[in-house]
Amino acid sequence: MNVNQSVPPVPSFGQPQPVYPGYHQSSYGGQSGSTAPTIPYGAYNGPVPGYQQTPPQGMSRAPPSSGAPPASTAQAPCGQAAYGQFGQGDVQNGPSSTVQMQRLPGSQPFGSPLAPVGNQPAVLQPYGPPPTSAQVTAQLSGMQISGAVAPAPPSSGLGYGPPTSLASASGSFPNSGLYGSYPQGQAPPLSQAQGHPGIQTPQRSAPSQASGFTPPASGGPRLPSMTGPLLPGQSFGGPSVSQPNHVSSPPPQALPPGTQMTGPLGPLPPMHSPQQPGYQPQQNGSFGPARGPQPNYGSPYPAAPTFGSQSGPQPLPPKRLDPDAIPSPASPYVVDHGESGPLRCNRCKAYMCPFMQFIEGGRRFQCCFCSCINDVPPQYFQHLDHTGKRVDAYDRPELSLGSYEFLATVDYCKNNKFPSPPAFIFMIDVSYNAIRTGLVRLLCEELKSLLDFLPREGGAEESAIRVGFVTYNKVLHFYNVKSSLAQPQMMVVSDVADMFVPLLDGFLVNVNESRAVITSLLDQIPEMFADTRETETVFVPVIQAGMEALKAAECAGKLFLFHTSLPIAEAPGKLKNRDDRKLINTDKEKTLFQPQTGAYQTLAKECVAQGCCVDLFLFPNQYVDVATLSVVPQLTGGSVYKYACFQVENDQERFLSDLRRDVQKVVGFDAVMRVRTSTGIRAVDFFGAFYMSNTTDVELAGLDGDKTVTVEFKHDDRLNEESGALLQCALLYTSCAGQRRLRIHNLALNCCTQLADLYRNCETDTLINYMAKFAYRGVLNSPVKAVRDTLITQCAQILACYRKNCASPSSAGQLILPECMKLLPVYLNCVLKSDVLQPGAEITTDDRAYVRQLVTSMDVAETNVFFYPRLLPLTKSPIESTTEPPAVRASEERLSNGDMYLLENGLNLFLWVGASVQQGVVQSLFSVSSFSQITSGLSVLPVLDNPLSKKVRGLIDSLRAQRSRYMKLIVVKQEDKLEMLFKHFLVEDKSLSGGASYVDFLCHMHKEIRQLLS
């Protein structure tokens, strides 16, 4: 193509096309070919309106790579050597910018024309009907013939810039992944600084004339990238929400341009600086800073950091970003196919996705999972272009994106009836322990304001969720809070063996309608039970009551249970104290992790059938048998929070922070998940908080963004390097507003025939996540020693296989590890030394059971930092620096007694103060004159007006904002009794419970590998 040629005279972007007055014709934009200019095609079936927001990426797959990875320039997170660049081959989760031409959604008006630039490359023109002679004349008269070209449109998001969103490629569902539709006015915590179009909502107005863009002076035509919100002049277009076969998304709210919608989630995790315009692509198709390694380990490819990214000037090192915390839009696009429902394969029931192949001119499609040929319904028919792709591919999320949602029809609902909006029931223990500690009073005060922040759908003014209240000790008290009552009414059920709900009308109510009665009730509860002497509690009947209430109301929902002691009162599910440390390291140790009685599993099964999810807040002063009590939350997709020896003055902030997040987060109810695969692989095992009644369906009474489901796939047939492996995860659930939806995630992975390629692209972090969950489930049925030996053998076999088949010959005394697996031994040693598999004397049975169920639902980033904590030196980096200091290795020899360190692992947060730290530093941070005056065990730093105090408190806030649970601070002085607890988390050292140091374990692994090879 001649760069200087004048542009063919066709109507400019955004101008009404002939034949279709008033429509914006969808146009194709993309890289210009190196040969002839593109030939305009006539329009098929008229214009297809685009979807309303700036679309995120679709998915495509690049050919598998072998040989050395290409060089590139993505930065590893600050302070960490780049060990972690292991993606899945060259998986792309977005449309390839060079292979596929990208179609701009036609519904967006384009911005102002640009100033002409000499010798500028031609811009591809829209496909549309040929212009009339009058238009040609009008166009020519307004053109400069001296090499100027038609204006390039501002990007509508499908340009070549950083994309706006991506489903995580690691198979876990981060905060804005599975249930990321944040309530009105509440932005996802990671993307505020990025200004994503899904969050900032400009006013509708005429196209702005103020913005201009100067394309590059050389090279092919390039659309500008949109890394921020739409310009004030750009409007959301598209079909109305009620139209079937089109995308619906929440209507934009009229806000002043540039206004950010923030909400009660608290401060933004400062993982990226606001100056960062966008993210570099990673190898797994995700856009975000490259996965960061643990500190001070060698980089795998010295000359080639993070292959898979674009070359160019190196940006400043970004702050550490967790691999699965990639920003995504507030919620996926919702597709409504009307009464016919989503299009599926007739044989394997897979849902329509970008990998389905349309044939016979678009009248049929071939399923990419089972190869079955299906007819395309008449209302879904569309013609194919010259590449065999549907001409509306980029106007339909299900044909161009990796993740999207379908509105489900009545066939997908229980009893063929659309669900009612869900309900939240707060069930409060009012026994002596709960009243004495001040828990009940604190909780009732907090609920008064917290009920205003229940999750809501899209732009809804108020939440559709109804609420109910129950208090209990040995008996249960139900409350009628109907809006017509002057005072709440209490009804007592003392027959706990045969539980029933004494009232229907007035138990579950709308918060705004019954606000006065609810406030009155919350004021009265602490006074009503202030003089109680009842110490015994029940547990199973409480959950039964909540489940029966939801069943009577014919809705799904969540129970928030606040419980203090072992349920020893006479009732179903009564427990006895069975805490016996003598069982540790014996064959009977596994019984400590198993539930005492089968009543809890039976109850959990009934809860799942009703869509009743249970979140349990425990406040024990002694043994409460967490292994048994956590069965119901674990099987219903709920969470367990534990506050041992709760005291209001010390633990108030942690408890209230966790409670607020738990009540406000967006939840899906009554969910069923199924994973489908193409031939050659199949899903064989699942790990997480859910229930399975058969081998394929994962049933979740509730599901939120803090839960991860890990799936193990087995390679059981021939795989094709050309077609790769395809995965589709389909989740049917009820939204917060009571709408039945299907969320679909698609992933295409490369296959390779060379073991060397496999080892070059493996994910150590994901492998450790899987191995930890595999081991933590194993302790239920096998002795702990057998589980530990299995892990060591698995790891040795992986590394021996590499040594035997991939490594260059060398002496047997040399330890050779694959580049991507250099850290497998250090992480595996951390798992083996963890409290579940090797407890120290100070770890209680309850703590072990608590950690075991917690890790089961963690995502890759969480297990990464949980097993290998981050140790951050505080006085090495300049005070004015706002970035996170680079982490150092978790070993005592790295501690300098003239410095201070923060250590965090997602649950715990320590501030270690060296004995020789400067007096000025002590004064600035603790407001005392010397080291000896610092209070050991301090949990709150004084608020002082100096740079060091502000920096350290800001860093602590930022670390807390990155984690799903509030981390309570503990100040530890060097050579203080609390230092033993701190040293427990220095995982590279030998542990008191007998765990090996990293060096010793590496020697042990080397010996195991040599035995396998000989």
Side-chain angles (χ1 to χ4, degrees):
M1 178 185 280
N2 178 6
V3 184
N4 294 321
Q5 72 185 22
S6 60
V7 184
V10 292
S12 61
F13 286 106
Q15 191 176 324
Q17 301 284 343
V19 185
Y20 302 105
Y23 272 89
H24 294 297
Q25 186 75 12
S26 291
S27 57
Y28 280 102
Q31 300 279 31
S32 58
S34 56
T35 52
T38 339
I39 305 158
Y41 284 85
Y44 294 115
N45 275 13
V48 185
Y51 34 99
Q52 293 151 314
Q53 298 168 319
T54 307
Q57 280 45 39
M59 303 172 61
S60 68
R61 188 176 65 254
S65 61
S66 59
S72 78
T73 56
Q75 287 278 16
C78 178
Q80 298 181 317
Y83 84 91
Q85 299 89 324
F86 8 86
Q88 292 91 350
D90 291 335
V91 177
Q92 286 189 340
N93 227 7
S96 159
S97 57
T98 51
V99 182
Q100 298 173 337
M101 299 216 288
Q102 294 178 331
R103 181 175 181 125
L104 298 168
S107 59
Q108 280 194 354
F110 293 98
S112 61
L114 317 174
V117 178
N119 287 355
Q120 190 179 324
V123 176
L124 291 177
Q125 296 302 318
Y127 292 98
T132 62
S133 57
Q135 283 178 309
V136 173
T137 314
Q139 285 277 322
L140 285 172
S141 64
M143 282 174 61
Q144 295 184 6
I145 310 293
S146 58
V149 291
S155 157
S156 339
L158 277 172
Y160 298 98
T164 52
S165 93
L166 255 185
S168 158
S170 72
S172 72
F173 307 116
N175 213 1
S176 47
L178 256 199
Y179 286 101
S181 34
Y182 282 76
Q184 164 69 29
Q186 184 176 331
L190 280 170
S191 41
Q192 291 177 356
Q194 310 308 326
H196 288 290
I199 298 159
Q200 297 197 356
T201 349
Q203 291 173 316
R204 295 173 180 269
S205 62
S208 161
Q209 298 300 315
S211 62
F213 162 70
T214 309
S218 62
R222 195 169 72 86
L223 296 173
S225 66
M226 177 174 282
T227 55
L230 294 172
L231 298 173
Q234 287 176 288
S235 70
F236 293 90
S240 69
V241 176
S242 59
Q243 246 176 300
N245 277 339
H246 283 303
V247 185
S248 68
S249 51
Q253 314 296 315
L255 292 176
T259 306
Q260 287 209 10
M261 286 159 62
T262 56
L265 259 191
L268 152 79
M271 297 199 216
H272 349 290
S273 58
Q275 295 82 23
Q276 254 180 281
Y279 292 113
Q280 304 193 350
Q282 288 188 158
Q283 221 191 344
N284 61 2
S286 304
F287 277 67
R291 166 113 26 118
Q294 283 303 331
N296 297 1
Y297 288 98
S299 159
Y301 304 107
T306 319
F307 45 95
S309 69
Q310 300 152 341
S311 59
Q314 293 201 359
L316 290 169
K319 296 186 185 179
R320 178 189 171 92
L321 177 74
D322 289 318
D324 297 321
I326 290 154
S328 17
S331 58
Y333 293 98
V334 181
V335 184
D336 183 7
H337 281 308
E339 289 181 13
S340 58
L343 190 56
R344 305 176 69 174
C345 167
N346 289 332
R347 184 194 294 162
C348 70
K349 300 299 180 192
Y351 293 86
M352 179 54 66
C353 72
F355 309 119
M356 299 289 190
Q357 187 67 42
F358 287 88
I359 53 175
E360 297 181 26
R363 286 187 292 277
R364 291 182 164 194
F365 71 91
Q366 183 169 17
C367 176
C368 52
F369 296 98
C370 69
S371 303
C372 174
I373 300 215
N374 302 268
D375 290 333
V376 173
Q379 73 273 17
Y380 198 78
F381 172 77
Q382 185 57 282
H383 293 282
L384 308 183
D385 64 14
H386 62 292
T387 65
K389 202 174 184 72
R390 280 173 60 119
V391 298
D392 65 348
Y394 288 111
D395 296 325
R396 289 188 178 275
E398 73 272 25
L399 299 181
S400 56
L401 301 181
S403 299
Y404 43 87
E405 287 195 336
F406 292 117
L407 279 189
T409 59
V410 76
D411 306 332
Y412 292 86
C413 304
K414 273 186 186 167
N415 309 324
N416 281 348
K417 203 169 105 183
F418 282 115
S420 308
F424 282 179
I425 303 178
F426 296 90
M427 317 191 90
I428 305 166
D429 178 348
V430 288
S431 63
Y432 175 71
N433 278 337
I435 297 291
R436 182 183 57 81
T437 56
L439 168 66
V440 174
R441 190 174 296 278
L442 176 70
L443 176 59
C444 289
E445 276 303 314
E446 179 62 26
L447 284 179
K448 288 182 201 170
S449 54
L450 189 54
L451 293 177
D452 288 330
F453 297 102
L454 298 177
R456 64 191 77 183
E457 195 81 337
E461 285 186 14
E462 63 176 56
S463 174
I465 292 174
R466 293 167 296 162
V467 297
F469 300 89
V470 173
T471 55
Y472 68 94
N473 38 47
K474 254 186 5 185
V475 297
L476 276 78
H477 322 104
F478 293 80
Y479 296 94
N480 184 346
V481 283
K482 200 171 175 182
S483 55
S484 57
L485 296 174
Q487 286 292 324
Q489 293 174 347
M490 175 193 202
M491 297 185 184
V492 180
V493 176
S494 53
D495 183 5
V496 289
D498 183 18
M499 184 44 63
F500 66 97
V501 181
L503 76 161
L504 290 179
D505 189 29
F507 179 62
L508 295 177
V509 296
N510 176 291
V511 174
N512 286 342
E513 289 173 9
S514 298
R515 181 173 301 282
V517 194
I518 290 174
T519 306
S520 172
L521 171 67
L522 293 173
D523 283 335
Q524 289 176 36
I525 286 175
E527 308 305 329
M528 247 188 298
F529 298 98
D531 301 324
T532 185
R533 287 288 172 265
E534 185 56 76
T535 54
E536 293 187 357
T537 57
V538 295
F539 190 83
V540 166
V542 183
I543 295 178
Q544 274 174 337
M547 184 184 67
E548 292 295 335
L550 294 176
K551 192 182 284 183
E554 296 184 348
C555 67
K558 187 186 260 198
L559 312 182
F560 295 85
L561 225 78
F562 304 90
H563 190 81
T564 58
S565 56
L566 193 70
I568 55 172
E570 279 304 326
K574 175 184 174 181
L575 301 179
K576 61 180 189 291
N577 189 331
R578 53 162 186 170
D579 188 16
D580 186 359
R581 295 191 63 83
K582 295 195 197 78
L583 296 181
I584 292 175
N585 295 327
T586 68
D587 285 353
K588 287 189 175 178
E589 184 175 4
K590 62 190 175 191
T591 60
L592 295 175
F593 297 108
Q594 295 166 350
Q596 264 189 56
T597 153
Y600 287 80
Q601 275 156 318
T602 309
L603 177 62
K605 192 173 169 182
E606 292 170 7
C607 285
V608 171
Q610 181 50 44
C612 169
C613 172
V614 179
D615 279 359
L616 177 59
F617 292 79
L618 285 172
F619 306 87
N621 289 333
Q622 51 197 14
Y623 178 75
V624 288
D625 201 350
V626 173
T628 304
L629 297 188
S630 65
V631 165
V632 180
Q634 177 77 11
L635 293 180
T636 59
S639 308
V640 179
Y641 299 85
K642 181 168 168 281
Y643 309 89
C645 302
F646 179 82
Q647 291 176 302
V648 169
E649 55 275 13
N650 293 338
D651 302 300
Q652 169 178 344
E653 194 177 355
R654 178 172 157 230
F655 164 56
L656 293 183
S657 176
D658 287 343
L659 176 64
R660 285 167 192 151
R661 182 187 167 93
D662 198 53
V663 170
Q664 292 171 23
K665 65 187 174 190
V666 177
V667 190
F669 297 96
D670 216 356
V672 182
M673 185 183 96
R674 183 174 283 193
V675 179
R676 294 179 173 85
T677 58
S678 53
T679 45
I681 56 170
R682 62 191 170 92
V684 291
D685 211 348
F686 300 84
F687 302 85
F690 53 75
Y691 173 75
M692 291 186 80
S693 55
N694 56 38
T695 55
T696 54
D697 293 342
V698 175
E699 297 175 48
L700 304 118
L703 180 62
D704 58 67
D706 295 333
K707 302 289 185 305
T708 300
V709 177
T710 299
V711 186
E712 179 189 356
F713 295 93
K714 185 178 179 184
H715 172 207
D716 61 358
D717 202 348
R718 185 180 171 83
L719 286 169
N720 186 339
E721 265 195 282
E722 293 302 310
S723 57
L726 302 178
L727 315 174
Q728 183 178 83
C729 169
L731 180 88
L732 174 65
Y733 74 99
T734 303
S735 73
C736 292
Q739 200 175 44
R740 203 72 175 142
R741 291 184 176 181
L742 282 150
R743 183 168 295 195
I744 313 294
H745 294 295
N746 300 290
L747 187 63
L749 299 172
N750 289 328
C751 303
C752 59
T753 50
Q754 303 297 319
L755 266 176
D757 286 341
L758 182 71
Y759 278 99
R760 186 178 296 118
N761 293 297
C762 63
E763 274 273 11
T764 301
D765 297 5
T766 309
L767 205 56
I768 286 296
N769 179 282
Y770 164 76
M771 290 170 104
K773 291 180 179 181
F774 177 80
Y776 280 19
R777 188 173 66 187
V779 297
L780 289 173
N781 306 307
S782 310
V784 172
K785 186 180 185 310
V787 173
R788 292 164 48 80
D789 292 344
T790 305
L791 281 183
I792 293 172
T793 307
Q794 276 183 335
C795 182
Q797 284 172 339
I798 290 170
L799 299 175
C801 174
Y802 175 80
R803 175 71 186 257
K804 183 178 177 182
N805 299 298
C806 306
S808 48
S810 57
S811 72
Q814 199 173 348
L815 176 63
I816 297 179
L817 303 176
E819 277 303 347
C820 284
M821 287 193 171
K822 274 186 173 173
L823 297 190
L824 187 60
V826 73
Y827 276 137
L828 186 72
N829 190 36
C830 295
V831 174
L832 293 171
K833 288 161 65 171
S834 64
D835 294 337
V836 174
L837 298 183
Q838 195 160 25
E842 74 289 350
I843 302 297
T844 65
T845 309
D846 274 349
D847 283 336
R848 294 178 73 192
Y850 174 64
V851 167
R852 195 195 75 78
Q853 60 83 30
L854 205 58
V855 168
T856 308
S857 297
M858 281 186 181
D859 68 20
V860 173
E862 287 172 322
T863 49
N864 191 1
V865 78
F866 177 75
F867 288 114
Y868 194 108
R870 295 166 66 197
L871 187 62
L872 308 172
L874 292 182
T875 54
K876 297 264 171 70
S877 58
I879 284 188
E880 61 278 1
S881 165
T882 54
T883 56
E884 230 169 68
V888 296
R889 288 168 64 168
S891 169
E892 192 176 355
E893 63 187 35
R894 302 277 162 169
L895 299 176
S896 153
N897 55 8
D899 202 352
M900 296 185 299
Y901 297 83
L902 270 178
L903 182 143
E904 66 106 3
N905 73 342
L907 293 182
N908 305 283
L909 183 62
F910 294 96
L911 174 58
W912 183 86
V913 186
S916 311
V917 74
Q918 290 175 4
Q919 190 179 340
V921 172
V922 172
Q923 183 72 45
S924 299
L925 203 54
F926 299 100
S927 193
V928 294
S929 54
S930 69
F931 172 80
S932 59
Q933 291 175 300
I934 298 172
T935 310
S936 181
L938 190 73
S939 61
V940 180
L941 293 179
V943 178
L944 303 173
D945 189 14
N946 65 67
L948 180 65
S949 177
K950 288 177 181 171
K951 178 183 172 177
V952 174
R953 284 182 289 111
L955 180 58
I956 289 170
D957 288 343
S958 85
L959 293 175
R960 284 173 174 160
Q962 293 171 30
R963 305 291 167 220
S964 60
R965 295 183 181 226
Y966 184 90
M967 298 184 292
K968 180 183 169 185
L969 177 71
I970 299 176
V971 174
V972 177
K973 293 164 68 175
Q974 187 176 2
E975 293 169 9
D976 187 78
K977 61 180 184 297
L978 271 174
E979 198 180 27
M980 297 307 293
L981 178 62
F982 173 78
K983 286 181 177 175
H984 177 69
F985 297 96
L986 299 177
V987 288
E988 289 200 24
D989 300 335
K990 192 170 166 51
S991 70
L992 288 172
S993 55
S997 70
Y998 171 46
V999 175
D1000 293 345
F1001 183 68
L1002 208 56
C1003 296
H1004 178 65
M1005 284 307 303
H1006 190 196
K1007 196 172 82 181
E1008 293 280 330
I1009 293 167
R1010 286 174 66 176
Q1011 276 181 352
L1012 285 172
L1013 291 174
S1014 60

mmCIF file of all heavy atoms in Angstrom, residues 143 169 258 287 442 483 506 518 684 687 756 771 839 899 943 949:
data_model
loop_
_atom_site.group_PDB
_atom_site.id
_atom_site.type_symbol
_atom_site.label_atom_id
_atom_site.label_comp_id
_atom_site.label_asym_id
_atom_site.label_seq_id
_atom_site.Cartn_x
_atom_site.Cartn_y
_atom_site.Cartn_z
ATOM 1 N N MET A 143 -11.656 18.032 1.116
ATOM 2 C CA MET A 143 -10.400 17.363 1.450
ATOM 3 C C MET A 143 -9.193 18.154 0.986
ATOM 4 O O MET A 143 -9.254 18.890 0.005
ATOM 5 C CB MET A 143 -10.333 15.994 0.753
ATOM 6 C CG MET A 143 -11.160 14.931 1.429
ATOM 7 S SD MET A 143 -11.164 13.432 0.482
ATOM 8 C CE MET A 143 -9.446 13.025 0.479
ATOM 9 N N ALA A 169 -6.510 -15.960 33.805
ATOM 10 C CA ALA A 169 -6.247 -17.189 33.093
ATOM 11 C C ALA A 169 -5.824 -18.325 33.998
ATOM 12 O O ALA A 169 -5.580 -19.401 33.544
ATOM 13 C CB ALA A 169 -5.164 -16.945 32.051
ATOM 14 N N GLY A 258 -15.262 12.769 34.602
ATOM 15 C CA GLY A 258 -14.089 12.612 35.457
ATOM 16 C C GLY A 258 -14.418 12.201 36.881
ATOM 17 O O GLY A 258 -13.534 11.885 37.655
ATOM 18 N N PHE A 287 -3.560 -8.917 31.084
ATOM 19 C CA PHE A 287 -2.825 -7.676 31.078
ATOM 20 C C PHE A 287 -2.588 -7.254 32.504
ATOM 21 O O PHE A 287 -3.513 -7.120 33.270
ATOM 22 C CB PHE A 287 -3.611 -6.593 30.329
ATOM 23 C CG PHE A 287 -3.414 -6.690 28.863
ATOM 24 C CD1 PHE A 287 -3.899 -7.769 28.151
ATOM 25 C CD2 PHE A 287 -2.696 -5.738 28.199
ATOM 26 C CE1 PHE A 287 -3.708 -7.868 26.813
ATOM 27 C CE2 PHE A 287 -2.496 -5.833 26.842
ATOM 28 C CZ PHE A 287 -3.002 -6.896 26.144
ATOM 29 N N LEU A 442 -21.692 -4.481 70.596
ATOM 30 C CA LEU A 442 -20.892 -3.975 69.465
ATOM 31 C C LEU A 442 -21.554 -4.346 68.132
ATOM 32 O O LEU A 442 -21.693 -3.514 67.230
ATOM 33 C CB LEU A 442 -19.483 -4.584 69.534
ATOM 34 C CG LEU A 442 -18.533 -4.246 68.385
ATOM 35 C CD1 LEU A 442 -18.123 -2.783 68.447
ATOM 36 C CD2 LEU A 442 -17.295 -5.143 68.423
ATOM 37 N N SER A 483 -43.199 -3.681 59.300
ATOM 38 C CA SER A 483 -43.159 -2.210 59.311
ATOM 39 C C SER A 483 -44.374 -1.595 60.006
ATOM 40 O O SER A 483 -44.316 -0.479 60.513
ATOM 41 C CB SER A 483 -43.053 -1.683 57.880
ATOM 42 O OG SER A 483 -44.112 -2.197 57.105
ATOM 43 N N GLY A 506 -43.538 -10.905 58.401
ATOM 44 C CA GLY A 506 -42.895 -10.015 59.360
ATOM 45 C C GLY A 506 -41.523 -10.479 59.800
ATOM 46 O O GLY A 506 -40.818 -9.767 60.509
ATOM 47 N N ILE A 518 -36.557 -2.158 63.163
ATOM 48 C CA ILE A 518 -35.258 -2.845 63.246
ATOM 49 C C ILE A 518 -34.333 -2.109 64.220
ATOM 50 O O ILE A 518 -33.671 -2.724 65.064
ATOM 51 C CB ILE A 518 -34.617 -2.941 61.834
ATOM 52 C CG1 ILE A 518 -35.413 -3.927 60.958
ATOM 53 C CG2 ILE A 518 -33.166 -3.375 61.926
ATOM 54 C CD1 ILE A 518 -34.973 -3.993 59.502
ATOM 55 N N VAL A 684 -11.064 -33.985 36.488
ATOM 56 C CA VAL A 684 -11.199 -35.191 37.320
ATOM 57 C C VAL A 684 -11.326 -34.878 38.809
ATOM 58 O O VAL A 684 -11.778 -35.721 39.577
ATOM 59 C CB VAL A 684 -9.994 -36.152 37.112
ATOM 60 C CG1 VAL A 684 -10.032 -36.751 35.732
ATOM 61 C CG2 VAL A 684 -8.677 -35.441 37.359
ATOM 62 N N PHE A 687 -11.324 -28.755 44.085
ATOM 63 C CA PHE A 687 -10.977 -28.360 45.456
ATOM 64 C C PHE A 687 -11.605 -27.003 45.740
ATOM 65 O O PHE A 687 -11.555 -26.100 44.902
ATOM 66 C CB PHE A 687 -9.459 -28.230 45.617
ATOM 67 C CG PHE A 687 -8.697 -29.488 45.293
ATOM 68 C CD1 PHE A 687 -8.333 -29.785 43.983
ATOM 69 C CD2 PHE A 687 -8.342 -30.376 46.291
ATOM 70 C CE1 PHE A 687 -7.644 -30.932 43.674
ATOM 71 C CE2 PHE A 687 -7.646 -31.543 45.985
ATOM 72 C CZ PHE A 687 -7.288 -31.826 44.682
ATOM 73 N N ALA A 756 10.520 -30.150 27.126
ATOM 74 C CA ALA A 756 11.247 -28.905 27.425
ATOM 75 C C ALA A 756 10.302 -27.705 27.359
ATOM 76 O O ALA A 756 10.385 -26.788 28.176
ATOM 77 C CB ALA A 756 12.402 -28.725 26.446
ATOM 78 N N MET A 771 -0.932 -28.417 45.096
ATOM 79 C CA MET A 771 -0.334 -29.422 45.982
ATOM 80 C C MET A 771 -0.743 -29.198 47.444
ATOM 81 O O MET A 771 -0.966 -30.153 48.197
ATOM 82 C CB MET A 771 1.198 -29.396 45.846
ATOM 83 C CG MET A 771 1.688 -29.923 44.504
ATOM 84 S SD MET A 771 3.445 -29.627 44.248
ATOM 85 C CE MET A 771 4.119 -31.241 44.524
ATOM 86 N N PRO A 839 2.684 -29.287 63.090
ATOM 87 C CA PRO A 839 2.324 -28.277 64.085
ATOM 88 C C PRO A 839 3.370 -28.125 65.170
ATOM 89 O O PRO A 839 3.984 -29.100 65.595
ATOM 90 C CB PRO A 839 1.018 -28.832 64.670
ATOM 91 C CG PRO A 839 1.160 -30.318 64.520
ATOM 92 C CD PRO A 839 1.940 -30.540 63.257
ATOM 93 N N ASP A 899 17.340 -2.030 62.107
ATOM 94 C CA ASP A 899 16.261 -1.743 61.156
ATOM 95 C C ASP A 899 14.931 -2.226 61.729
ATOM 96 O O ASP A 899 14.871 -2.881 62.767
ATOM 97 C CB ASP A 899 16.551 -2.444 59.824
ATOM 98 C CG ASP A 899 15.825 -1.804 58.639
ATOM 99 O OD1 ASP A 899 14.987 -0.910 58.879
ATOM 100 O OD2 ASP A 899 16.084 -2.194 57.494
ATOM 101 N N VAL A 943 -0.897 8.032 65.832
ATOM 102 C CA VAL A 943 -1.004 8.886 64.640
ATOM 103 C C VAL A 943 -0.164 10.134 64.887
ATOM 104 O O VAL A 943 -0.520 10.997 65.689
ATOM 105 C CB VAL A 943 -2.473 9.267 64.369
ATOM 106 C CG1 VAL A 943 -2.574 10.187 63.169
ATOM 107 C CG2 VAL A 943 -3.302 8.012 64.166
ATOM 108 N N SER A 949 6.125 8.286 60.165
ATOM 109 C CA SER A 949 4.875 7.740 60.711
ATOM 110 C C SER A 949 3.830 7.604 59.617
ATOM 111 O O SER A 949 3.152 6.577 59.502
ATOM 112 C CB SER A 949 4.365 8.637 61.835
ATOM 113 O OG SER A 949 3.129 8.162 62.326
#
